[in-house]
Amino acid sequence: MTVEDSPNNAAASPFTAQQLASGASKCLDLQKSGRTIHSKRPFAALLLSPDNETVLMTSLSLSHVRHAECELARNAADNYDWSYLAECTMISTWEPCAMCAGSIYWAHIGRVIYLASEKALLELTGPGNAENLTLDMPCRTVFEAGQTPVEVIGPLTTDGWEKKVVKDAALYWSKSS
């Protein structure tokens, strides 16, 4: 199969407003449970099947180098067919960093939706935060350098998703400062 024949060149099915709200809500709930139940950093990601509703897998941030998006992309690549993942969507509470974007690209996940931007994270955590040294490299820039398209939607400012993610994450960062 050549890049031109890649199934990822076909767009994943569009989201309805209800599907988008449902996916965003599930992802934020995952971040909250990670923070409150599992004492994890406030980062979460989930993978939706091509129907835009079925959650295939989820992940939380395990450390400052084992991000939720990277872990999810690696697990997805190990468990699902390349062409199937091209039709799937990853929803993340935060914009994927350059490392995570690379993992998403190599896993061949066709679409990424993120709720809050890297810039909002930097504002929240502050410069020089040893636990979260943000990297000003938009995920779109990483994906644009690739040979197959990855659709990107985010940050989700509609319905206040970005503010909700920041508000929840602030509970973690205020305790860890």
Side-chain angles (χ1 to χ4, degrees), residues 4 7 11 14 17 30 49 68 76 83 89-90 124 128-130 132 135 150 157 164 169 174 176:
E4 292 76 25
L30 181 62
S49 74
S83 60
T89 300
M90 179 186 288
L124 177 63
N129 184 318
N132 191 65
L135 182 63
V150 177
T157 55
K164 292 173 190 177
S174 66
S176 66

Side-chain angles (χ1 to χ4, degrees), residues 36-116:
T36 60
I37 298 170
H38 306 293
S39 301
K40 298 294 182 190
R41 297 154 35 93
F43 301 95
L46 58 85
L47 185 68
L48 294 178
S49 74
D51 71 8
N52 296 334
E53 294 177 13
T54 305
V55 177
L56 299 172
M57 55 179 49
T58 64
S59 187
L60 298 169
S61 176
L62 302 177
S63 73
H64 67 283
V65 295
R66 293 184 65 196
H67 298 181
E69 301 89 348
C70 270
E71 295 297 306
L72 184 65
R74 288 183 186 118
N75 287 331
D78 286 345
N79 288 284
Y80 295 101
D81 183 72
W82 195 71
S83 60
Y84 180 75
L85 287 174
E87 299 175 24
C88 292
T89 300
M90 179 186 288
I91 299 181
S92 176
T93 50
W94 293 95
E95 179 175 5
C97 71
M99 175 181 68
C100 293
S103 295
I104 293 164
Y105 174 80
W106 288 111
H108 208 61
I109 296 170
R111 176 173 36 218
V112 173
I113 297 173
Y114 64 90
L115 308 183

Side-chain angles (χ1 to χ4, degrees), residues 110-127:
R111 176 173 36 218
V112 173
I113 297 173
Y114 64 90
L115 308 183
S117 70
E118 184 80 10
K119 293 193 183 315
L121 181 60
L122 177 59
E123 278 183 33
L124 177 63
T125 62

Side-chain angles (χ1 to χ4, degrees), residues 31 35 42 94 124 164-174:
Q31 175 177 291
R35 180 183 54 74
W94 293 95
L124 177 63
K164 292 173 190 177
V165 168
V166 170
K167 182 178 178 182
D168 177 71
L171 297 171
Y172 173 87
W173 294 109
S174 66

